[in-house]
Amino acid sequence: MSEGVKVKDLSIYYGDFLAVEGVTVDIAPRSITALIGPSGCGKSTFLRSLNRMHEVIPGAHVKGSVDIDGQDIYEEGVDPVRVRQHVGMVFQRANPFPTMSIADNVLAGMKLNNRNLSKSDGEQIVEESLRGANLWEEVKDRLERPGSSLSGGQQQRLCIARAIAVKPEVLLMDEPCSALDPISTLAIEDLMQELQQDYTIVIVTHNMQQAARVSQKTGFFNIEGTGKPGHLIEFDQTEKIFSNPTHQETEDYVSGRFG
């Protein structure tokens, strides 16, 4: 049974630069948590630290701990590649591998992990994952077409299918709808609420209505000024954050007075 994500006193550095300081937060299993805040306040950096994706930038390191199902992912000897098998990621821009077929896109993560799949196993995973991403009915007759032949909203759902094919426990989404039209956005939001039954989902969004619609908890990040670290100012039930936050700066942000 998933225990969710427990972050304790996490500070994130790029070389000597402190990007995010002192975040402590418990993210419940099988829930949707939204992270909001102005641009450059560290919310995407924090999100990427939950599966060590920020480490693709040389010199990135952290202090503190991130426990996922009882294992600190920053403990010595923990393989970041293994971490990313348990913690999937969907990016702002849909990024299917353009030369790969729809089916091969879904299986890309499995093959990357050197899983020798039989043809029938592969076909089953493709169907299950595309059904999980509400895409199967739309693409089942053209699985050999390139992933890039799909519309933007379909490409984003293909990326979600790719992320869930490896059966992660946690799914991170970095502004997954920012490049999509309203109808595709709604499809992704509906999908998130379905996926929540099986996954712990953390989403960064600039769309406050989206945070209010899909999440149970919301975290508000802010920054004092350029060159200063981002902080988690407030973390609470989404309804409380949007109707009666504890901190004035949260109130100013959600009411549109700044940011």
Side-chain angles (χ1 to χ4, degrees):
M1 177 63 194
S2 172
E3 298 169 33
V5 182
K6 293 180 167 50
V7 180
K8 195 168 178 198
D9 203 19
L10 187 74
S11 293
I12 307 167
Y13 294 83
Y14 293 116
D16 296 335
F17 175 66
L18 176 59
V20 176
E21 185 173 35
V23 175
T24 296
V25 70
D26 278 7
I27 294 167
R30 294 192 170 85
S31 67
I32 300 176
T33 299
L35 305 177
I36 61 169
S39 294
C41 66
K43 57 194 183 298
S44 287
T45 297
F46 172 72
L47 186 78
R48 285 160 178 258
S49 76
L50 301 181
N51 74 346
R52 298 181 58 169
M53 270 303 283
H54 69 297
E55 290 178 356
V56 299
I57 296 175
H61 61 282
V62 306
K63 291 178 179 166
S65 64
V66 176
D67 275 34
I68 296 179
D69 295 340
Q71 160 85 64
D72 180 4
I73 65 171
Y74 286 100
E75 218 163 61
E76 211 174 319
V78 173
D79 178 1
V81 177
R82 290 297 304 259
V83 170
R84 291 170 202 146
Q85 287 169 12
H86 294 290
V87 187
M89 183 115 190
V90 176
F91 297 93
Q92 182 171 0
R93 298 225 168 257
N95 57 347
F97 299 112
T99 56
M100 275 189 198
S101 70
I102 291 167
D104 284 342
N105 258 288
V106 175
L107 295 173
M110 309 290 282
K111 290 179 174 169
L112 204 63
N113 301 329
N114 299 324
R115 290 278 297 277
N116 284 325
L117 290 174
S118 70
K119 190 166 187 291
S120 61
D121 282 353
E123 286 168 356
Q124 187 181 348
I125 290 165
V126 167
E127 180 171 346
E128 279 176 6
S129 305
L130 288 169
R131 281 191 188 282
N134 280 348
L135 193 55
W136 174 250
E137 293 301 330
E138 293 165 53
V139 301
K140 63 183 179 188
D141 300 325
R142 47 178 173 148
L143 295 173
E144 295 314 309
R145 296 274 305 277
S148 53
S149 68
L150 299 174
S151 72
Q154 289 173 324
Q155 286 188 27
Q156 193 59 294
R157 280 182 286 148
L158 178 60
C159 293
I160 292 170
R162 185 173 70 196
I164 63 180
V166 295
K167 300 263 190 289
E169 280 116 47
V170 180
L171 201 51
L172 309 177
M173 297 185 164
D174 194 359
E175 293 190 58
C177 304
S178 67
L180 301 181
D181 63 86
I183 290 169
S184 299
T185 296
L186 202 58
I188 301 273
E189 289 180 7
D190 287 347
L191 174 55
M192 279 186 228
Q193 288 173 317
E194 286 172 37
L195 291 173
Q196 180 196 336
Q197 294 160 28
D198 299 307
Y199 304 95
T200 303
I201 298 174
V202 187
I203 170 177
V204 165
T205 179
H206 277 292
N207 181 332
M208 306 256 221
Q209 289 82 8
Q210 182 170 75
R213 281 193 299 263
V214 302
S215 68
Q216 289 82 49
K217 292 268 183 91
T218 295
F220 169 61
F221 278 80
N222 203 6
I223 188 166
E224 281 174 24
T226 311
K228 296 275 205 301
H231 287 100
L232 178 63
I233 304 298
E234 190 164 351
F235 184 81
D236 214 323
Q237 299 291 340
T238 294
E239 200 178 325
K240 185 174 188 308
I241 291 283
F242 283 100
S243 62
N244 185 25
T246 306
H247 292 268
Q248 184 62 45
E249 53 191 301
T250 313
E251 164 78 33
D252 288 347
Y253 184 75
V254 299
S255 65
R257 278 200 278 278
F258 84 97

